[in-house]
Amino acid sequence: EVQLVESGGGSVPPGGSLRVSCVVSGFSFSTSGMSWVRQAPGKGLEWVSSINGHGDDTYYADSVKGRFSISRDNSKNTLYLQMNSLRVEDTAVYYCAKVTVPVGAFDIWGQGTMVTVSS
Amino acid sequence: EIVLTQSPATLSSSPGERATLSCRASQSVSSNLAWYQQKPGQAPRLLIYDATTRATGIPARFSGIGSGTDFTLTISSLEPEDFAVYYCQQRSKWPLYGFGQGTKLEIK
């Protein structure tokens, strides 16, 4: 069964750090591009970051560049998002998603993990 | 930066009716456009990619057309489970991926 399971969300004060994870099963993780997409409460979807299968090519939205870092451990079938210098506006559900290549669509999604930045 | 604008923001329809949702890009994205459905409390689900190709398991009542800057998602005969929020998404040089603001399809 194809599955993406996020974890690591929680509540953190502004300026704090958090790392969320996504464990993958049911498809070839090491050959799949992966992304993080977030959704603030009651709002739309926002692409956050992407990484290629090898982990040597990464991309970030301007809103998180310099603060967030995407990485992966192919031996553990796990995707990570390290979030530093968190802001109130980073509060959202964070979804990991598999990217179809070269189409560039998100064909498999996790259930999401909630990150709340609040004092 | 490419901006996607969806219209209408809310569409009120009844089961059995045809629904037409629009997505307009601020500059050409060729056919690099996808559509997603999202129900409350759930992750988005890919419906259409490459503007016109249905994803695996998506019913034939969902269809997409368009290229360049103007795209349409049509649901030919609405089922009760189709009432949800729909997003378009583009892949381009920058931003790498972008989403429209969504269209809420609600029951009239």
Side-chain angles (χ1 to χ4, degrees):
Chain A
E1 181 190 5
V2 174
Q3 211 170 8
L4 286 71
V5 180
E6 300 97 333
S7 62
S11 186
V12 61
S17 298
L18 200 63
R19 188 179 80 162
V20 292
S21 303
C22 172
V23 177
V24 164
S25 59
F27 64 90
S28 176
F29 180 68
S30 63
T31 61
S32 298
M34 299 293 296
S35 292
W36 289 97
V37 176
R38 68 184 180 184
Q39 187 169 37
K43 302 298 183 182
L45 302 169
E46 180 188 14
W47 168 73
V48 173
S49 182
S50 294
I51 188 168
N52 68 347
H54 296 295
D56 56 0
D57 214 2
T58 59
Y59 304 88
Y60 298 94
D62 286 345
S63 58
V64 306
K65 195 175 297 182
R67 300 187 298 122
F68 290 13
S69 177
I70 190 172
S71 62
R72 63 193 297 158
D73 185 336
N74 287 345
S75 69
K76 296 182 178 179
N77 276 15
T78 303
L79 176 72
Y80 302 100
L81 185 68
Q82 176 68 45
M83 301 181 287
N84 299 327
S85 302
L86 281 161
R87 305 168 179 169
V88 171
E89 55 264 35
D90 296 318
T91 295
V93 174
Y94 284 74
Y95 295 101
C96 65
K98 173 181 169 291
V99 183
T100 62
V101 178
V103 169
F106 306 110
D107 62 342
I108 306 171
W109 296 68
Q111 85 289 350
T113 187
M114 183 71 203
V115 172
T116 302
V117 184
S118 172
S119 55
Chain B
E1 176 181 348
I2 295 178
V3 176
L4 296 179
T5 302
Q6 293 186 241
S7 61
T10 303
L11 180 60
S12 298
S13 297
S14 300
E17 290 185 340
R18 182 184 188 92
T20 302
L21 288 67
S22 175
C23 177
R24 175 164 289 179
S26 59
Q27 52 187 287
S28 177
V29 296
S30 186
S31 295
N32 299 319
L33 191 103
W35 290 93
Y36 300 83
Q37 177 194 69
Q38 187 180 33
K39 298 179 181 179
Q42 296 185 17
R45 177 175 71 145
L46 177 65
L47 300 175
I48 301 285
Y49 63 90
D50 281 351
T52 62
T53 304
R54 275 191 304 277
T56 302
I58 301 304
R61 65 181 182 273
F62 291 91
S63 63
I65 61 170
S67 66
T69 61
D70 290 298
F71 301 87
T72 301
L73 173 70
T74 299
I75 310 171
S76 59
S77 180
L78 286 165
E79 297 287 342
E81 62 268 27
D82 297 337
F83 293 92
V85 179
Y86 292 82
Y87 294 95
C88 57
Q89 172 251 319
Q90 59 82 18
R91 175 182 64 84
S92 68
K93 290 184 178 181
W94 194 258
L96 194 59
Y97 303 103
F99 291 91
Q101 83 281 12
T103 289
K104 182 179 181 180
L105 179 56
E106 64 176 24
I107 300 176
K108 185 187 293 182

